[in-house]
Amino acid sequence: MSTTLPPGVDDGAFHAALDKFRGVTGAGHVITDEAGLAGYRDPYPVLEPGHFAASAAVRPGSVDEIRQIVLAAGEHGVPLAPVSGGRNLGYGGAAPRLTGAVVLDLKRLNRIIEINDTFGYALVEPGVTYFDLHKALLKRGSRFWLDVPDLGWGSVIGNTLERGVGYTPYGDHLSIQCGMEVVLANGDVVRTGMGGLPGSNTWQLYKYGYGPCLDPLFTQSNFGIVTKMGLWLMPEPGGYQAYMVTLPREDDLEQMVEILRPLRMSQQIQNVPTLRSLLLDAAACGSRKAYYDGPGPVPDSVASRIMADLRIGMWNFYGAVYGPEPVRAAALDAARSAFGQIPGARFYTEGEHDSPVLAARAQIMAGKPNLETINVLQWVASGGHVDFAPVSPATGRDAMRQYLMVRERCREFGQDYMSTFIVGRREMHHICLMMFDSQDPDDRKRTRELCGTLIEDAASAGYGEYRVHPAFMDQVAATFSYGDHALLRLNERIKDALDPAGILAPGKQGIWPLRFRESGLSHS
Ligand code: ADP
């Protein structure tokens, strides 16, 4: 594959920038060869492979090196795309939104700077993964738990910046973030919140600091490079028990969500539970072929066989209780009787069911990172996926409406409906996995059209996505159009003020710097 330079950057400027990067990091940390760049490709392209290909990658080893790289990139107009872990495979992996951008790979900054045993927080660099931090907590015999996402290989910072979730009571990752260090496009190194005060002793304790609270501005944006971040850890609760509830009918979804909302709002269900569709759970147990090898989505007639075989429902709910024995017993009783209102619902605690999903969820809801969730990719031989992830109000009516909306489009496009509802306090993330063969141009086109159609369907019903693959970033940004796109224009104004040369992650979340908006540079 030949190198695609960033739009508007000529060969001379590109190579001058790379030479400067080499001077900063040493030549070994500037990657330009095809094999080295392979790890920065979109693992499951929906456009033609190479569409979001990086022209090079640079791997700084310190904050000062990042500053120097940013200044050199600014001087030569070379766009940089920061990544920490780059392991969000369904959202493009480490691939930059702008084809030809240079990936700024932050994995070498991998220090756990502090674990605080009094207040329960950690201060980490971008290369620290959930596995790393969990291991460090275990090693010191910490009495704090880490909240982890589905796949433990992600970085703590990358996941939080994308507003990822976990499944303990600390599952809303942005809500447990406290204090950042950010390198701006002009080379300034800013500490947010209380970190602005030299020698501060509350940087990881009090989020808001003095003056405007800026941390969320650096999430799902391209306004800066986050080089340190604090996060809170959960005190070990004194006991734990996971459980599973199986629901036999597809429209049980409605009643289930009505039961869940008050329980989540009142925190009787303390953690972030999940409600998963039949085929997603079936995929965790084996390949689609075992049940159906025909064209199009798995027919309804096969669904009952899968349910009987695996002893699971059309929907399967995974929750947990936390605390000492009497607290857990009361919470389990309350859950049992709440879900028992649904005819045919079955309740299993861990150990009462051999579901591999329950075993994996039990670990994740206790803050133990693993990679079990990736097993669902065995469903189809090619194993590629992109995620369509609309936010739903936590009402039964909306859940059913989104379910039917997605299921019908999936059927039309010959796709299995596979989803999980991640149940927040008032809303749910409805994560729909679209599996496809990324080597097959027709399948790529089908998947692209399906996702594009769903984004429009959702928007016209008042639903927006929480996160998206780079191929759909512009489309989703355009759906947040209130006030003649006032939100996007505000984001663009902030972008232009902070990054006038337009070098940091151009196009991320649909935010293009001035030089791409007005100069006609091609950036499809
Ligand atoms: P993960 O570690 O979960 O795989 P990534 O490192 O891929 O996550 O991060 C997801 C996205 O967040 C990246 O594509 C990038 O846009 C942004 N990002 C990640 N790390 C940083 C960072 N340190 N500073 C700024 N943006 C970042």
Side-chain angles (χ1 to χ4, degrees):
M1 213 176 281
S2 64
T3 307
T4 307
L5 294 186
V9 177
D10 64 30
D11 217 47
F14 179 70
H15 287 290
L18 290 196
D19 281 345
K20 287 204 176 130
F21 297 166
R22 286 186 189 100
V24 173
T25 61
H29 293 300
V30 175
I31 295 142
T32 52
D33 63 300
E34 180 53 33
L37 291 177
Y40 301 105
R41 301 281 186 244
D42 179 357
Y44 307 129
V46 284
L47 297 165
E48 68 283 7
H51 187 92
F52 295 117
S55 54
V58 53
R59 305 183 344 123
S62 69
V63 174
D64 193 55
E65 287 185 11
I66 294 173
R67 283 189 66 243
Q68 294 180 55
I69 290 166
V70 164
L71 293 175
E75 198 181 314
H76 297 286
V78 170
L80 296 171
V83 293
S84 294
R87 308 289 294 183
N88 285 297
L89 306 189
Y91 295 112
R97 166 63 190 86
L98 178 71
T99 305
V102 174
V103 171
L104 184 68
D105 178 346
L106 301 169
K107 276 199 269 314
R108 287 178 64 214
L109 283 83
N110 62 358
R111 284 180 309 151
I112 298 171
I113 296 164
E114 183 184 359
I115 293 178
N116 186 291
D117 296 310
T118 306
F119 296 106
Y121 68 74
L123 179 66
V124 298
E125 292 188 325
V128 175
T129 68
Y130 286 96
F131 280 127
D132 297 335
L133 187 50
H134 181 254
K135 203 164 126 198
L137 288 168
L138 282 184
K139 195 167 160 208
R140 68 198 281 128
S142 171
R143 56 188 179 83
F144 289 96
W145 285 14
L146 172 66
D147 187 278
V148 301
D150 287 288
L151 297 171
W153 63 20
S155 67
V156 175
I157 288 187
N159 183 280
T160 306
L161 294 185
E162 288 293 282
R163 303 200 284 263
V165 297
Y167 303 94
T168 73
Y170 279 40
D172 176 351
H173 286 174
L174 184 56
S175 77
I176 58 163
Q177 175 269 327
C178 191
M180 284 179 184
E181 179 185 86
V182 189
V183 177
L184 301 181
N186 68 356
D188 277 359
V189 180
V190 177
R191 289 194 172 179
T192 64
M194 299 308 283
L197 184 90
S200 165
N201 44 28
T202 49
W203 189 23
Q204 270 62 63
L205 302 183
Y206 178 60
K207 281 166 174 272
Y208 309 124
Y210 178 74
C213 179
L214 300 173
D215 301 39
L217 268 187
F218 298 104
T219 68
Q220 287 200 5
S221 80
N222 48 13
F223 300 155
I225 299 161
V226 177
T227 47
K228 292 183 183 59
M229 190 192 82
L231 76 152
W232 292 333
L233 306 167
M234 174 177 148
E236 199 281 316
Y240 167 77
Q241 170 87 66
Y243 64 86
M244 163 186 187
V245 183
T246 63
L247 306 172
R249 290 166 301 269
E250 57 185 336
D251 45 12
D252 290 335
L253 175 65
E254 179 152 6
Q255 191 180 0
M256 184 65 171
V257 174
E258 285 301 307
I259 291 171
L260 283 172
R261 186 185 56 255
L263 295 177
R264 282 292 282 133
M265 284 179 70
S266 63
Q267 301 193 50
Q268 284 183 67
I269 293 182
Q270 298 162 282
N271 72 317
V272 179
T274 46
L275 182 56
R276 295 163 54 109
S277 73
L278 171 71
L279 295 187
L280 189 65
D281 272 14
C285 302
S287 139
R288 181 181 199 267
K289 264 200 201 133
Y291 293 100
Y292 181 69
D293 206 9
V298 169
D300 286 345
S301 55
V302 178
S304 31
R305 191 153 64 81
I306 299 178
M307 284 197 280
D309 261 21
L310 301 176
R311 294 199 303 138
I312 59 175
M314 276 305 288
W315 296 101
N316 301 286
F317 177 77
Y318 299 90
V321 292
Y322 300 78
E325 213 287 316
V327 175
R328 293 200 311 273
L332 273 180
D333 276 354
R336 239 184 253 276
S337 71
F339 303 131
Q341 295 169 55
I342 301 174
R346 289 181 190 278
F347 192 98
Y348 304 93
T349 51
E350 208 188 334
E352 291 177 349
H353 197 298
D354 59 0
S355 156
V357 182
L358 177 56
R361 301 312 303 170
Q363 299 248 314
I364 290 171
M365 288 186 288
K368 295 183 185 148
N370 61 58
L371 296 177
E372 296 296 315
T373 307
I374 206 148
N375 291 344
V376 299
L377 299 185
Q378 68 199 332
W379 189 240
V380 292
S382 52
H385 72 108
V386 290
D387 295 352
F388 169 64
V391 177
S392 171
T395 71
R397 187 177 155 275
D398 284 290
M400 278 306 286
R401 195 169 171 217
Q402 284 209 1
Y403 162 55
L404 294 173
M405 170 183 88
V406 180
R407 191 198 66 185
E408 287 316 302
R409 284 292 185 201
C410 283
R411 284 190 176 162
E412 185 185 327
F413 283 81
Q415 178 78 37
D416 288 331
Y417 171 80
M418 312 175 83
S419 83
T420 180
F421 283 96
I422 300 173
V423 187
R425 297 248 177 86
R426 289 169 174 78
E427 58 71 43
M428 302 186 294
H429 292 11
H430 180 192
I431 314 290
C432 307
L433 260 78
M434 304 298 177
M435 295 216 188
F436 72 110
D437 180 353
S438 56
Q439 305 299 314
D440 174 351
D442 291 338
D443 216 18
R444 287 202 299 269
K445 181 163 178 284
R446 182 184 64 88
T447 306
R448 200 162 65 233
E449 285 177 3
L450 170 58
C451 291
T453 305
L454 278 169
I455 291 166
E456 297 311 317
D457 287 345
S460 56
Y463 303 125
E465 286 70 55
Y466 105 99
R467 185 175 179 180
V468 77
H469 183 280
F472 307 104
M473 282 180 177
D474 289 333
Q475 188 188 355
V476 170
T479 64
F480 284 74
S481 61
Y482 178 82
D484 190 21
H485 303 272
L487 183 59
L488 184 57
R489 283 185 282 112
L490 171 61
N491 285 331
E492 288 168 350
R493 282 211 298 284
I494 298 172
K495 177 70 179 162
D496 294 342
L498 291 181
D499 181 14
I503 52 155
L504 296 186
K508 183 170 162 57
Q509 250 64 33
I511 306 167
W512 292 97
L514 188 67
R515 71 168 164 144
F516 290 92
R517 296 199 308 276
E518 291 189 351
S519 62
L521 286 178
S522 157
H523 56 263
S524 63

Short mmCIF file of all heavy atoms in Angstrom, two decimals, residues 151 280 282-287 356 360 371-380 435:
data_model
loop_
_atom_site.label_atom_id
_atom_site.label_comp_id
_atom_site.label_asym_id
_atom_site.label_seq_id
_atom_site.Cartn_x
_atom_site.Cartn_y
_atom_site.Cartn_z
N LEU A 151 -13.57 -4.93 27.48
CA LEU A 151 -12.29 -5.54 27.12
C LEU A 151 -11.17 -4.84 27.89
O LEU A 151 -10.98 -3.63 27.76
CB LEU A 151 -12.05 -5.42 25.61
CG LEU A 151 -13.07 -6.17 24.74
CD1 LEU A 151 -12.89 -5.82 23.27
CD2 LEU A 151 -12.96 -7.68 24.94
N LEU A 280 -26.72 -12.19 20.68
CA LEU A 280 -25.42 -11.75 21.23
C LEU A 280 -24.93 -12.79 22.23
O LEU A 280 -23.75 -13.17 22.23
CB LEU A 280 -25.55 -10.38 21.89
CG LEU A 280 -24.22 -9.76 22.30
CD1 LEU A 280 -23.37 -9.44 21.08
CD2 LEU A 280 -24.42 -8.50 23.13
N ALA A 282 -25.86 -15.93 22.29
CA ALA A 282 -25.57 -17.16 21.54
C ALA A 282 -24.18 -17.07 20.93
O ALA A 282 -23.42 -18.05 20.91
CB ALA A 282 -26.62 -17.37 20.45
N ALA A 283 -23.81 -15.88 20.45
CA ALA A 283 -22.50 -15.71 19.82
C ALA A 283 -21.37 -15.92 20.83
O ALA A 283 -20.28 -16.35 20.45
CB ALA A 283 -22.40 -14.32 19.20
N ALA A 284 -21.63 -15.62 22.09
CA ALA A 284 -20.59 -15.85 23.10
C ALA A 284 -20.36 -17.35 23.32
O ALA A 284 -19.34 -17.76 23.87
CB ALA A 284 -20.99 -15.20 24.42
N CYS A 285 -21.33 -18.16 22.87
CA CYS A 285 -21.24 -19.61 23.11
C CYS A 285 -20.76 -20.39 21.89
O CYS A 285 -20.41 -21.56 22.01
CB CYS A 285 -22.60 -20.15 23.52
SG CYS A 285 -23.25 -19.35 24.98
N GLY A 286 -20.78 -19.79 20.72
CA GLY A 286 -20.34 -20.55 19.55
C GLY A 286 -20.67 -19.84 18.26
O GLY A 286 -21.09 -18.68 18.25
N SER A 287 -20.50 -20.60 17.17
CA SER A 287 -20.66 -19.98 15.85
C SER A 287 -22.12 -20.09 15.39
O SER A 287 -22.86 -21.00 15.76
CB SER A 287 -19.71 -20.68 14.89
OG SER A 287 -20.34 -20.90 13.67
N PRO A 356 -21.43 -18.99 29.80
CA PRO A 356 -20.12 -18.30 29.80
C PRO A 356 -20.28 -16.80 29.89
O PRO A 356 -19.37 -16.10 30.34
CB PRO A 356 -19.49 -18.71 28.46
CG PRO A 356 -20.61 -19.18 27.60
CD PRO A 356 -21.70 -19.68 28.51
N ALA A 360 -18.38 -14.40 32.55
CA ALA A 360 -17.58 -13.23 32.15
C ALA A 360 -18.13 -11.95 32.76
O ALA A 360 -17.38 -11.11 33.26
CB ALA A 360 -17.56 -13.11 30.62
N LEU A 371 -10.90 -10.60 28.49
CA LEU A 371 -11.14 -10.39 27.05
C LEU A 371 -12.27 -11.27 26.54
O LEU A 371 -12.41 -11.46 25.34
CB LEU A 371 -9.85 -10.67 26.26
CG LEU A 371 -8.67 -9.74 26.54
CD1 LEU A 371 -7.44 -10.19 25.73
CD2 LEU A 371 -9.00 -8.30 26.19
N GLU A 372 -13.07 -11.81 27.47
CA GLU A 372 -14.11 -12.77 27.08
C GLU A 372 -15.09 -12.20 26.06
O GLU A 372 -15.58 -12.92 25.18
CB GLU A 372 -14.91 -13.22 28.32
CG GLU A 372 -14.10 -13.98 29.35
CD GLU A 372 -13.59 -15.28 28.81
OE1 GLU A 372 -14.37 -16.00 28.17
OE2 GLU A 372 -12.40 -15.59 29.03
N THR A 373 -15.39 -10.90 26.19
CA THR A 373 -16.43 -10.31 25.34
C THR A 373 -16.10 -10.46 23.86
O THR A 373 -17.00 -10.50 23.02
CB THR A 373 -16.64 -8.83 25.73
OG1 THR A 373 -16.87 -8.80 27.13
CG2 THR A 373 -17.82 -8.21 25.02
N ILE A 374 -14.82 -10.56 23.57
CA ILE A 374 -14.44 -10.63 22.15
C ILE A 374 -14.89 -11.95 21.51
O ILE A 374 -14.99 -12.05 20.28
CB ILE A 374 -12.93 -10.39 21.97
CG1 ILE A 374 -12.67 -9.83 20.58
CG2 ILE A 374 -12.11 -11.63 22.20
CD1 ILE A 374 -11.52 -8.92 20.52
N ASN A 375 -15.20 -12.93 22.34
CA ASN A 375 -15.63 -14.23 21.79
C ASN A 375 -16.85 -14.13 20.88
O ASN A 375 -17.06 -14.98 20.04
CB ASN A 375 -15.93 -15.23 22.92
CG ASN A 375 -14.67 -15.63 23.64
OD1 ASN A 375 -13.58 -15.41 23.11
ND2 ASN A 375 -14.80 -16.19 24.82
N VAL A 376 -17.65 -13.08 21.06
CA VAL A 376 -18.86 -12.99 20.21
C VAL A 376 -18.49 -12.89 18.73
O VAL A 376 -19.32 -13.18 17.87
CB VAL A 376 -19.78 -11.80 20.60
CG1 VAL A 376 -20.29 -11.96 22.03
CG2 VAL A 376 -19.11 -10.46 20.40
N LEU A 377 -17.25 -12.51 18.45
CA LEU A 377 -16.85 -12.38 17.04
C LEU A 377 -16.75 -13.73 16.34
O LEU A 377 -16.64 -13.79 15.11
CB LEU A 377 -15.54 -11.60 16.91
CG LEU A 377 -15.58 -10.17 17.45
CD1 LEU A 377 -14.26 -9.45 17.16
CD2 LEU A 377 -16.73 -9.37 16.85
N GLN A 378 -16.81 -14.82 17.11
CA GLN A 378 -16.78 -16.15 16.49
C GLN A 378 -18.09 -16.44 15.74
O GLN A 378 -18.22 -17.43 15.04
CB GLN A 378 -16.54 -17.23 17.55
CG GLN A 378 -17.72 -17.41 18.52
CD GLN A 378 -17.33 -18.12 19.80
OE1 GLN A 378 -16.41 -18.92 19.82
NE2 GLN A 378 -18.05 -17.85 20.87
N TRP A 379 -19.10 -15.59 15.92
CA TRP A 379 -20.42 -15.82 15.33
C TRP A 379 -20.34 -16.00 13.82
O TRP A 379 -20.94 -16.90 13.24
CB TRP A 379 -21.33 -14.64 15.69
CG TRP A 379 -22.78 -14.78 15.35
CD1 TRP A 379 -23.51 -13.97 14.52
CD2 TRP A 379 -23.70 -15.75 15.86
NE1 TRP A 379 -24.81 -14.37 14.49
CE2 TRP A 379 -24.97 -15.47 15.29
CE3 TRP A 379 -23.60 -16.83 16.73
CZ2 TRP A 379 -26.10 -16.22 15.56
CZ3 TRP A 379 -24.73 -17.59 17.00
CH2 TRP A 379 -25.96 -17.29 16.42
N VAL A 380 -19.58 -15.12 13.16
CA VAL A 380 -19.38 -15.27 11.72
C VAL A 380 -17.89 -15.46 11.45
O VAL A 380 -17.06 -14.96 12.21
CB VAL A 380 -19.92 -14.06 10.93
CG1 VAL A 380 -21.43 -13.98 11.01
CG2 VAL A 380 -19.31 -12.76 11.41
N MET A 435 -22.13 -7.29 12.39
CA MET A 435 -21.01 -8.15 11.98
C MET A 435 -20.97 -8.25 10.46
O MET A 435 -22.01 -8.38 9.82
CB MET A 435 -21.19 -9.53 12.60
CG MET A 435 -21.10 -9.47 14.09
SD MET A 435 -20.29 -10.94 14.69
CE MET A 435 -20.54 -10.68 16.43
#
